[in-house]
Short mmCIF file of all heavy atoms in Angstrom, two decimals:
data_model
loop_
_atom_site.label_atom_id
_atom_site.label_comp_id
_atom_site.label_asym_id
_atom_site.label_seq_id
_atom_site.Cartn_x
_atom_site.Cartn_y
_atom_site.Cartn_z
N ASP A 140 7.67 12.17 16.97
CA ASP A 140 7.35 10.82 16.50
C ASP A 140 7.55 10.73 15.00
O ASP A 140 7.20 11.65 14.25
CB ASP A 140 5.90 10.47 16.85
CG ASP A 140 5.70 10.30 18.36
OD1 ASP A 140 6.67 9.95 19.04
OD2 ASP A 140 4.57 10.53 18.83
N LEU A 141 8.08 9.60 14.55
CA LEU A 141 8.31 9.36 13.12
C LEU A 141 7.26 8.38 12.60
O LEU A 141 6.70 7.59 13.37
CB LEU A 141 9.71 8.78 12.89
CG LEU A 141 10.87 9.67 13.34
CD1 LEU A 141 12.18 8.93 13.15
CD2 LEU A 141 10.89 10.97 12.55
N PRO A 142 6.97 8.41 11.30
CA PRO A 142 6.06 7.41 10.72
C PRO A 142 6.61 6.02 10.99
O PRO A 142 7.83 5.81 10.98
CB PRO A 142 6.06 7.74 9.22
CG PRO A 142 6.53 9.15 9.14
CD PRO A 142 7.48 9.35 10.28
N PRO A 143 5.74 5.04 11.21
CA PRO A 143 6.22 3.68 11.48
C PRO A 143 7.02 3.14 10.31
O PRO A 143 6.67 3.34 9.15
CB PRO A 143 4.93 2.88 11.70
CG PRO A 143 3.85 3.70 11.04
CD PRO A 143 4.27 5.13 11.19
N HIS A 144 8.11 2.46 10.62
CA HIS A 144 8.98 1.89 9.59
C HIS A 144 8.44 0.54 9.15
O HIS A 144 8.01 -0.28 9.96
CB HIS A 144 10.40 1.72 10.13
CG HIS A 144 11.31 0.98 9.22
ND1 HIS A 144 11.78 1.52 8.05
CD2 HIS A 144 11.82 -0.28 9.30
CE1 HIS A 144 12.55 0.64 7.44
NE2 HIS A 144 12.60 -0.45 8.18
N ILE A 145 8.45 0.33 7.84
CA ILE A 145 8.02 -0.96 7.29
C ILE A 145 9.26 -1.66 6.76
O ILE A 145 9.95 -1.15 5.87
CB ILE A 145 7.00 -0.77 6.15
CG1 ILE A 145 5.76 -0.05 6.68
CG2 ILE A 145 6.62 -2.11 5.55
CD1 ILE A 145 4.75 0.29 5.61
N GLY A 146 9.57 -2.82 7.30
CA GLY A 146 10.76 -3.55 6.85
C GLY A 146 10.88 -4.86 7.57
O GLY A 146 9.95 -5.32 8.25
N PHE A 147 12.03 -5.49 7.41
CA PHE A 147 12.27 -6.80 8.00
C PHE A 147 13.47 -6.72 8.93
O PHE A 147 14.50 -6.18 8.58
CB PHE A 147 12.54 -7.84 6.91
CG PHE A 147 11.40 -7.99 5.94
CD1 PHE A 147 11.40 -7.29 4.74
CD2 PHE A 147 10.34 -8.81 6.23
CE1 PHE A 147 10.35 -7.42 3.85
CE2 PHE A 147 9.28 -8.95 5.35
CZ PHE A 147 9.29 -8.25 4.16
N ASP A 148 13.31 -7.26 10.10
CA ASP A 148 14.39 -7.28 11.08
C ASP A 148 15.20 -8.56 10.86
O ASP A 148 15.03 -9.56 11.53
CB ASP A 148 13.81 -7.24 12.50
CG ASP A 148 14.90 -7.09 13.54
OD1 ASP A 148 16.05 -6.81 13.15
OD2 ASP A 148 14.62 -7.27 14.74
N VAL A 149 16.09 -8.51 9.87
CA VAL A 149 16.88 -9.68 9.50
C VAL A 149 18.29 -9.52 10.05
O VAL A 149 18.99 -8.56 9.73
CB VAL A 149 16.93 -9.85 7.96
CG1 VAL A 149 17.75 -11.07 7.59
CG2 VAL A 149 15.52 -9.98 7.41
N GLU A 150 18.70 -10.44 10.89
CA GLU A 150 20.00 -10.34 11.53
C GLU A 150 21.15 -10.70 10.59
O GLU A 150 22.21 -10.11 10.60
CB GLU A 150 20.05 -11.26 12.76
CG GLU A 150 19.07 -10.85 13.86
CD GLU A 150 19.51 -9.58 14.57
OE1 GLU A 150 20.67 -9.19 14.39
OE2 GLU A 150 18.70 -8.99 15.30
N THR A 151 20.95 -11.72 9.75
CA THR A 151 22.01 -12.21 8.87
C THR A 151 21.58 -12.05 7.42
O THR A 151 20.39 -12.02 7.11
CB THR A 151 22.30 -13.70 9.15
OG1 THR A 151 21.10 -14.46 8.98
CG2 THR A 151 22.81 -13.88 10.57
N PRO A 152 22.54 -11.94 6.51
CA PRO A 152 22.20 -11.84 5.08
C PRO A 152 21.36 -13.03 4.63
O PRO A 152 21.62 -14.17 5.01
CB PRO A 152 23.58 -11.83 4.40
CG PRO A 152 24.52 -11.35 5.45
CD PRO A 152 23.99 -11.88 6.76
N THR A 153 20.35 -12.73 3.85
CA THR A 153 19.42 -13.77 3.41
C THR A 153 19.41 -13.84 1.89
O THR A 153 19.33 -12.81 1.22
CB THR A 153 17.99 -13.47 3.92
OG1 THR A 153 18.03 -13.39 5.35
CG2 THR A 153 17.03 -14.57 3.51
#
Side-chain angles (χ1 to χ4, degrees):
D140 291 333
L141 299 176
H144 172 71
I145 300 175
F147 300 95
D148 187 11
V149 180
E150 296 288 346
T151 57
T153 302

